[in-house]
């Protein structure tokens, strides 16, 4: 039954790129101010933006009078579309596992995220391990298979985690998910987390040296035997070589600073600090390292390491020179990142554009895809969201979402298709009932 | 002597005596039409007058509020404020006591007035909240930490102000609801519940026995709950008859206001079937009912309206219940209730979301609820539902001066609360978070 309903939703997915004109909208470009005008979309890209545009003949026209257009929202921290568990919790260094292997393109959370204006998301493992698995950037191309959802050209990443979560499995009295004394897993403290990361990179450096040595010899035409490939260290070698971004889950200032120093020592960069709730305390150090910060708007106090979380975090870090994004880490929050961004205007006085950038351009920069997405500019992917009202608060409702110039969500179509889907569902339920033998006098069933 | 008395009053924080004139604001009373450029006089903790022109009494502090707006302070109808601090740290959580029937437990007496949450929720204009011994939210739930048997009565929820020196000082209504963990088929709660159509399928298929087992357990629990109420009623009779050998029983004593209809029972009822069962059960027991956290209204709208049962919605910004529920299921629910004529208010069922309750209401507006109704569901509706509409919930003469002065619509993220009054006292909008902000913004080294 579930499959059939999903198949029904798939039927809504677009087939081919068309030329589209979005007319008479208030366009919040992020990089070039807010204008009243039109957008021309051709071959999946933004072809023209302006108060007056040349409308190509035969273009599909979307009249967006009194409506707002923003760049597709980018969520720098999500766990949707993952088939099954998000933590490979048996070891604290699990850099060999890859989220790419477990993408579920039929996760309904993808469609819901779309309906909340999200077009791109960074999909990560959970935070049980000091060094987690390999991450992936997806476009929310609902209806496509897993491979077609991948944001081609986006650099892959790896999840790190500091603080309470990675040390929990080592602490026999550590509350939720704690290990027993017999099974306790190193590390159990923040000290151990630092050491775990250092040990891993010490190994990775040696591994890289072996490979560098081999390659040098091969280049000189000398006989050499290639080192044995180690999938765990391969991912860390990529980090050392700058070919894989580090996205590090962290809360407290001490652990943030610790990771920056470990990275400095081993000569790699932390691309983003995730959650980074006390980032405001070490904003200067974060900016100096060049790490981005991807945080929550106003979550706090739900665990011990979140008691000093403040909603001004995003604003302080921005003012101190850090590129800041707001993420969801949650399939529900993901659906209203627009209003989460709006909170940055209240807490810390960010401008409209600065706030909007926190869920569009800034996460694009953090994921290294700002040449493709994150703002409304000619040549960028036509990932666009149309709202009925000013989009930075909860009075606004997503009307349409385009990815690569295809319409993937349309509220009017969604609402008008409901009676049909409901009828189909009832038919299927009826069929299911008929297909099952009637139970008799309580003797049926599995008992 | 009089001066010393005044000093003492100030020291105790009882500013009830301060006279304040809020001048030239746009006033949104909620219970009446908007008043442009009006003034509000606060005296003895109450709203003494509202008029276009008020001559300030001698010694009155004047708040110039031209271009600003005044609304009644908002009410969050379901929290664990003061009872639960850091959700993941058991030592800081006082919801979810052990024991099956615990009507004698009072949330109020465990409210920590220095909880960091109070200062945080005030910043967004929340001046009172219902705090539950166990709201079914994340902070524990019925016996959530205690283990043992399933809890059926969790205790008394209190309506409190979000400021005060002591819990006594904070109480608006000491016992405003009796929290019942009403049994449901397939278990209540947030994601554990089994929707009716699934039960239907299970019932038809090979899993009929599972459904029958559930049904039996459910009926046993309902019978237990009903028996407790019957016993409480016997106790009530024995007490009023002054029967020989009568002995005080704290559990039954706590039930008397419920039996007398002075305090409603609150029941978490996510599904239509539980709503229906709870209404029928409350009717049979002849007690007042408030339904908490419904995830669907459907045909129960008519019954809720007919039986005059109000509803407290949980977070509007919530995921749909099942994979094939409409994406906007929880966004449209308040509008659906409104159309059905059901009285409702909003609650957040978890302290960390409480400050966002205005935005939860705004979402309901985006999805069909008239704006005025959203505002009512944060002010006058909860005041009526919890039996305190003579005191709070609107800007009216004679009510407690629970007011917010804003620079815009309080339901939008861009608006700032400029002044906040609780019981006529101006309460600081500083909190731990604003202090950390100041401290770290000024870090230069």
């Amino acid at each position: 039954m579930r499959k059939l309903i999903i198949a029904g939703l798939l039927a809504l997915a677009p087939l081919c790129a068309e030329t589209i004109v979005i007319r008479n909208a208030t366009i919040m470009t992020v990089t070039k101010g807010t204008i009243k005008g039109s957008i021309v979309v051709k071959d999946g890209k933004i072809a023209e933006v302006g108060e007056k545009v040349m409308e190509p003949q035969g273009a599909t026209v979307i009249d967006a009078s009194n409506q707002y257009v923003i760049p597709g929202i980018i969520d720098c921290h999500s766990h949707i579309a993952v088939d099954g568990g998000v933590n490979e919790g048996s070891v604290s260094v699990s850099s060999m596992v890859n989220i790419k292997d477990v993408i579920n393109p039929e996760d309904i959370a993808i469609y819901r995220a779309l309906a909340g204006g999200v077009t791109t998301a960074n999909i990560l493992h959970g935070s049980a391990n000091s060094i987690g698995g390999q991450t992936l950037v997806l476009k929310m191309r609902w209806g496509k298979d897993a491979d077609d959802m991948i944001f081609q050209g986006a650099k892959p990443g790896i999840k790190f985690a500091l603080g309470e979560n990675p040390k929990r499995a080592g602490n026999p009295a550590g509350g939720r998910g704690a290990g027993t004394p017999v099974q306790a897993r190193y590390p159990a403290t923040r000290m151990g987390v630092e050491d775990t990361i250092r040990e891993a990179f010490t190994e990775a450096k040696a591994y890289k040296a072996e490979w560098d040595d081999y390659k040098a010899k091969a280049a000189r035409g000398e006989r050499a035997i290639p080192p044995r490939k180690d999938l765990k260290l391969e991912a860390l070698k990529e980090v050392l070589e700058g070919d894989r971004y580090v996205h590090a889950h962290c809360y407290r200032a001490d652990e943030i600073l610790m990771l920056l120093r470990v990275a400095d020592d081993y000569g790699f960069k932390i691309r983003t600090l995730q959650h980074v709730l006390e980032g405001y305390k070490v904003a200067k150090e974060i900016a100096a390292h060049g790490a981005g910060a991807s945080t929550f708007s106003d979550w706090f106090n739900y665990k011990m390491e979140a008691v000093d979380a403040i909603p001004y975090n995003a604003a302080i870090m921005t003012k101190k020179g850090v590129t800041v994004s707001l993420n969801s880490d949650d399939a529900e929050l993901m659906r209203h990142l627009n209003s989460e961004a709006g909170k940055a205007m209240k807490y810390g006085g960010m401008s409209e554009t600065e706030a909007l950038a926190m869920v569009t351009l800034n996460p694009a920069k953090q994921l290294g895809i700002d040449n493709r997405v994150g703002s409304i500019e000619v040549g960028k992917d036509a990932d666009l969201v149309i709202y009925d009202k000013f989009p930075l608060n909860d009075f606004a409702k997503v009307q349409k979402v385009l990815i690569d110039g295809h319409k993937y969500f349309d509220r009017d179509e969604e609402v008008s298709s409901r009676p049909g889907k409901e009828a189909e569902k009832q038919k299927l339920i009826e069929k299911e009932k008929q297909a099952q033998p009637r139970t008799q006098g309580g003797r049926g069933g599995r008992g | 002597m009089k001066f010393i008395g005044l000093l003492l009053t100030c020291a105790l924080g009882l500013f009830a005596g301060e006279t304040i004139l809020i001048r030239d604001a746009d006033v949104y009373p909620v219970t009446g039409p908007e008043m442009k450029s009006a003034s509000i006089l606060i005296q003895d903790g109450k709203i003494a007058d509202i008029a276009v022109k008020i001559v300030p009494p001698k010694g009155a502090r004047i708040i110039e509020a031209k271009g600003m707006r005044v609304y009644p302070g908002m009410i969050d109808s379901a929290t664990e404020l003061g009872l639960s601090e850091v959700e993941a740290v058991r030592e800081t959580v006082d919801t979810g006591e052990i024991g099956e029937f615990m009507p004698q437990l009072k949330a109020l007496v465990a409210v920590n007035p220095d909880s960091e949450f109070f200062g945080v929720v005030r910043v967004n204009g929340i001046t009172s909240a219902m705090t539950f011994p166990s709201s079914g939210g994340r902070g524990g739930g019925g016996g959530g930490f205690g283990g043992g048997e399933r809890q059926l009565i969790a205790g008394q929820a209190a309506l409190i102000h979000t400021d005060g020196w002591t819990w006594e000082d904070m109480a608006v209504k000491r016992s405003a609801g009796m929290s019942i963990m009403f049994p449901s088929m397939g278990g209540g709660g947030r994601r554990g519940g089994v929707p009716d159509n699934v039960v239907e399928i299970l019932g038809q298929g090979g899993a009929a026995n599972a459904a029958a087992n559930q049904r039996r357990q459910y009926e046993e629990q309902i019978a237990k709950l009903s028996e407790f109420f019957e016993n409480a009623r016997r106790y009530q009779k024995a007490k009023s008859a002054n029967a020989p050998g009568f002995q005080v029983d704290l559990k039954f004593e706590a039930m008397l206001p419920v039996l007398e209809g002075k305090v409603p029972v609150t029941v978490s009822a996510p599904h239509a079937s539980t709503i229906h069962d709870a209404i029928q059960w409350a009717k049979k027991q002849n007690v007042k009912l408030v339904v908490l956290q419904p995830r669907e209204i459907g045909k129960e709208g008519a019954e809720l309206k007919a039986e005059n049962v109000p509803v407290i919605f949980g977070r509007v910004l919530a995921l749909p219940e099942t994979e094939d529920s409409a994406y906007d299921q929880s966004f449209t629910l308040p509008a659906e209730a409104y159309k059905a004529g059901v009285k409702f208010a909003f609650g957040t069922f978890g302290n960390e979301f409480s400050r966002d309750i205005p935005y939860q209401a705004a979402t309901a507006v985006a999805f069909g609820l008239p704006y005025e109704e959203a505002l009512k569901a944060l002010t006058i509706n909860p005041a009526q539902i919890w039996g305190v509409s003579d005191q709070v919930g609107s800007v009216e003469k004679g009510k407690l001066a629970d007011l917010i002065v804003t620079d815009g619509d309080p339901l939008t993220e861009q608006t700032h609360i400029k002044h906040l009054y609780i019981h006529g006292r101006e309460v600081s909008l500083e909190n731990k978070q604003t202090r950390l902000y100041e401290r770290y913004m000024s870090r230069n080294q």
Side-chain angles (χ1 to χ4, degrees):
Chain A
M1 181 183 90
R2 180 190 138 188
K3 290 274 181 239
L4 274 167
I5 291 168
I6 286 166
L9 289 168
L10 294 189
L12 294 172
L15 294 171
C16 61
E18 42 183 348
T19 302
I20 298 171
V21 178
I22 301 170
R23 213 186 257 170
N24 301 326
T26 300
I27 304 166
M28 300 173 83
T29 67
V30 180
T31 44
K32 301 203 159 98
T34 296
I35 57 162
K36 285 229 184 325
S38 303
I39 303 171
V40 180
V41 173
K42 231 191 246 176
D43 302 322
K45 301 276 179 191
I46 297 166
E48 211 183 333
V49 188
E51 286 169 17
K52 292 253 180 303
V53 297
M54 287 283 291
E55 293 191 7
Q57 266 200 335
T60 308
V61 173
I62 297 173
D63 181 19
S65 306
N66 302 318
Q67 300 195 322
Y68 285 75
V69 186
I70 65 165
I73 291 172
I74 300 169
D75 187 350
C76 201
H77 193 121
S78 172
H79 304 291
I80 68 164
V82 177
D83 196 8
V86 292
N87 283 307
E88 174 46 63
S90 56
V91 284
S92 202
V93 179
S94 61
S95 45
M96 69 296 276
V97 301
N98 195 332
I99 212 89
K100 194 176 180 176
D101 299 326
V102 289
I103 291 298
N104 170 19
E106 292 183 358
D107 184 355
I108 191 69
I110 300 169
Y111 183 73
R112 291 172 182 162
L114 255 179
V118 175
T119 54
T120 296
N122 189 28
I123 311 296
L124 311 153
H125 284 98
S127 47
N129 304 340
S130 309
I131 296 181
Q134 301 170 32
T135 67
L136 188 65
V137 182
L138 292 185
K139 279 208 186 189
M140 303 291 104
R141 298 187 188 104
W142 178 246
K144 297 285 168 83
D145 64 23
D147 281 347
D148 285 339
M149 282 200 182
I150 295 172
F151 194 123
Q152 294 298 341
K155 196 179 278 191
I158 187 164
K159 171 85 177 268
F160 283 18
L162 315 176
E164 289 181 19
N165 292 8
K167 74 181 184 133
R168 186 177 290 128
N171 184 354
R176 188 162 56 97
T180 64
V182 185
Q183 298 165 323
R185 188 196 80 179
Y186 185 79
T189 65
R190 285 181 169 82
M191 301 181 288
V193 173
E194 194 231 20
D195 173 56
T196 301
I197 298 171
R198 281 188 186 271
E199 301 280 358
F201 276 94
T202 303
E203 262 188 89
K205 265 196 127 159
Y207 176 73
K208 181 178 177 301
E210 276 181 57
W211 273 97
D212 288 348
D213 183 48
Y214 162 72
K215 279 180 191 156
K217 277 184 182 153
R220 289 196 298 268
E222 289 172 31
R223 268 184 52 157
I225 301 168
R228 182 193 165 114
K229 206 154 211 169
D230 182 317
L231 296 183
K232 182 182 91 176
L233 297 177
E234 198 61 31
L236 300 184
K237 178 170 154 280
E238 287 166 8
V239 169
L240 290 170
E241 289 165 346
D243 293 331
R244 186 172 287 282
Y245 290 149
V246 175
H247 302 296
H249 159 120
C250 52
Y251 277 74
R252 267 178 22 191
D254 48 80
E255 67 201 26
I256 294 166
L257 189 57
M258 174 277 282
L259 184 66
L260 297 179
R261 294 302 169 250
V262 169
D264 290 343
D265 286 352
Y266 285 84
F268 66 92
K269 287 283 174 201
I270 304 301
R271 185 68 183 189
T272 70
L273 293 158
Q274 298 281 333
H275 311 326
V276 60
L277 296 185
E278 288 188 11
Y280 67 93
K281 295 184 179 177
V282 283
K284 199 182 80 166
E285 287 80 0
I286 295 171
H289 180 89
S294 188
T295 187
F296 298 131
S297 62
D298 62 355
W299 285 25
F300 76 113
N301 246 31
Y302 47 95
K303 50 155 98 170
M304 218 40 224
E305 59 191 2
V307 295
D308 272 6
I310 63 174
Y312 306 93
N313 190 29
I316 296 182
M317 290 193 291
T318 302
K319 288 172 188 169
K320 303 220 170 200
V322 180
T323 299
V324 177
S325 68
L326 293 169
N327 70 52
S328 79
D329 192 19
D330 178 82
E332 198 292 309
L333 194 65
M334 196 176 185
R335 312 192 303 154
H336 48 97
L337 282 168
N338 57 311
S339 61
E340 292 297 292
K343 290 175 187 169
M345 295 169 69
K346 178 191 184 95
Y347 302 111
M350 296 283 98
S351 72
E352 232 170 74
T353 301
E354 282 173 317
L356 182 58
M358 287 180 185
V359 293
T360 53
L361 186 64
N362 293 0
K365 285 179 180 168
Q366 293 174 342
L367 295 170
I369 50 177
D370 53 313
N371 59 333
R372 291 271 304 279
V373 292
S375 61
I376 301 180
E377 288 180 75
V378 172
K380 282 200 176 182
D381 295 5
D383 293 4
L384 302 165
V385 188
I386 305 178
Y387 284 89
D388 57 346
K389 294 194 171 73
F390 174 68
L392 295 178
N393 62 51
D394 286 300
F395 289 127
K397 197 160 67 239
V398 172
Q399 301 298 311
K400 290 180 176 62
V401 180
L402 270 57
I403 299 178
D404 310 319
H406 293 294
K407 195 168 68 184
Y408 278 88
F409 175 79
D410 186 314
R411 174 149 171 96
D412 291 340
E413 287 172 14
E414 148 77 34
V415 172
S416 64
S417 73
R418 284 178 188 170
K421 276 187 241 166
E422 184 54 31
E424 188 186 358
K425 180 176 157 185
Q426 288 311 322
K427 238 165 81 183
L428 290 167
I429 289 173
E430 211 40 54
K431 208 170 153 190
E432 186 86 352
K433 282 185 194 170
Q434 300 302 329
Q436 301 209 16
R438 292 200 87 68
T439 52
Q440 301 150 12
R443 284 198 296 122
R446 275 172 244 130
Chain B
M1 190 63 212
K2 201 176 167 193
F3 178 68
I4 292 168
L6 183 71
L7 267 185
L8 204 65
T9 317
C10 292
L12 290 171
L14 302 170
F15 281 89
E18 195 183 6
T19 300
I20 300 168
L21 183 71
I22 303 171
R23 200 148 65 179
D24 288 338
D26 296 337
V27 180
Y28 295 77
V30 176
T31 43
E34 178 195 337
M35 299 164 74
K36 286 269 176 208
S37 196
S39 296
I40 299 173
L41 183 66
I42 301 173
Q43 252 170 348
D44 300 323
K46 294 193 171 169
I47 299 168
D49 200 6
I50 313 163
V52 173
K53 260 222 159 350
I54 298 174
V55 180
K58 221 179 144 194
R61 189 154 64 89
I62 293 170
I63 308 289
E64 295 294 353
K66 202 169 171 49
M68 293 199 259
R69 308 177 180 194
V70 178
Y71 295 85
M74 288 183 266
I75 302 169
D76 185 337
S77 282
T79 71
E80 291 164 352
L81 286 174
L83 295 179
S84 173
E85 192 66 19
V86 181
E87 191 191 303
V89 181
R90 179 66 186 100
E91 288 79 357
T92 72
V93 178
D94 281 299
T95 58
E97 185 50 272
I98 300 166
E100 200 172 20
F101 294 102
M102 305 300 280
Q104 75 279 26
L105 301 182
K106 296 180 283 289
L108 183 65
V109 301
V111 167
N112 170 15
D114 281 330
S115 163
E116 297 294 348
F117 280 103
F118 290 120
V120 164
V121 302
R122 286 197 300 261
V123 167
N124 282 2
I126 295 140
T127 53
S128 13
M130 281 291 285
T131 190
F132 277 76
S134 182
S135 74
R138 285 211 248 161
F145 288 111
E149 60 218 324
R150 189 187 193 285
Q151 192 166 55
L152 286 165
I153 301 183
Q156 302 162 37
L159 185 69
I160 56 172
H161 272 143
T162 54
D163 178 57
W165 292 98
T166 65
W167 53 256
E168 214 159 30
D169 187 20
M170 294 166 87
V172 180
K173 194 169 183 185
R174 291 174 160 241
S175 178
M178 182 63 78
S179 173
I180 291 190
M181 318 307 271
F182 197 75
S184 74
M185 290 286 291
R190 304 201 314 160
R191 281 180 200 163
V194 180
D196 294 346
N197 59 353
V198 176
V199 172
E200 200 183 327
I201 295 166
L202 281 175
Q204 295 287 338
N209 273 6
N213 262 337
Q214 270 188 0
R215 166 64 60 183
R216 195 170 53 242
Q217 274 177 15
Y218 167 76
E219 279 166 2
E220 274 169 19
Q221 283 178 343
I222 292 280
K224 254 184 165 177
L225 189 61
S226 302
E227 192 193 345
F228 185 81
F229 272 70
E230 287 316 311
N231 288 340
R233 205 160 267 121
R234 287 192 194 100
Y235 177 87
Q236 183 186 31
K237 266 189 200 152
K239 189 183 181 188
S240 65
N242 224 342
F246 172 81
Q247 282 188 339
V248 171
D249 180 304
L250 292 183
K251 288 184 196 286
F252 292 141
E253 202 62 37
M255 289 298 291
L256 297 179
V258 175
L259 300 178
E260 288 157 8
K262 289 178 187 157
V263 171
V265 299
T266 66
V267 166
S268 269
H271 302 122
S273 57
T274 316
I275 296 173
H276 171 76
D277 291 353
I279 292 175
Q280 292 307 316
W281 179 86
K283 215 172 154 180
K284 212 168 128 195
Q285 295 296 335
N286 196 24
V287 294
K288 277 193 350 201
L289 170 69
V290 178
V291 164
L292 308 180
Q293 266 185 309
R295 299 300 314 269
E296 57 187 10
I297 292 289
K299 58 184 191 312
E300 291 313 310
E303 196 180 4
L304 286 162
K305 180 174 189 249
E307 301 298 336
N308 221 356
V309 174
V311 157
I312 307 300
F313 282 112
R315 289 196 292 281
V316 178
L317 291 164
L319 283 175
E321 264 220 297
T322 64
E323 197 174 43
D324 51 351
S325 305
Y327 83 94
D328 57 2
Q329 182 198 32
S330 50
F331 307 160
T332 55
L333 210 51
E336 199 188 327
Y338 167 70
K339 279 173 202 139
V342 177
K343 169 153 287 184
F344 62 89
F346 292 113
T348 46
F349 296 86
N351 295 346
E352 75 208 60
F353 296 99
S354 187
R355 68 163 143 206
D356 288 341
I357 200 168
Y359 318 138
Q360 306 271 349
T363 305
V365 174
F367 287 83
L369 182 68
Y371 176 84
E372 296 71 28
E373 296 301 322
L375 208 50
K376 281 187 198 166
L378 292 169
T379 53
I380 191 66
N381 288 4
Q384 288 166 349
I385 292 168
W386 303 119
V388 289
S389 58
D390 57 331
Q391 295 184 70
V392 297
S394 61
V395 187
E396 284 181 86
K397 218 167 141 170
K399 283 198 178 183
L400 299 186
D402 286 4
L403 302 169
I404 55 175
V405 181
T406 74
D407 61 1
D409 182 344
L411 304 197
T412 73
E413 279 83 351
Q414 286 74 35
T415 295
H416 297 84
I417 309 292
K418 297 299 210 182
H419 301 274
L420 179 138
Y421 303 89
I422 291 178
H423 207 151
R425 299 187 299 262
E426 174 141 21
V427 182
S428 165
L429 294 167
E430 241 188 45
N431 58 36
K432 179 185 171 187
Q433 302 186 341
T434 61
R435 286 190 294 274
L436 281 169
Y437 173 54
E438 300 295 335
R439 175 168 151 78
Y440 282 95
M441 264 313 281
S442 68
R443 181 191 165 199
N444 288 319
Q445 286 101 45

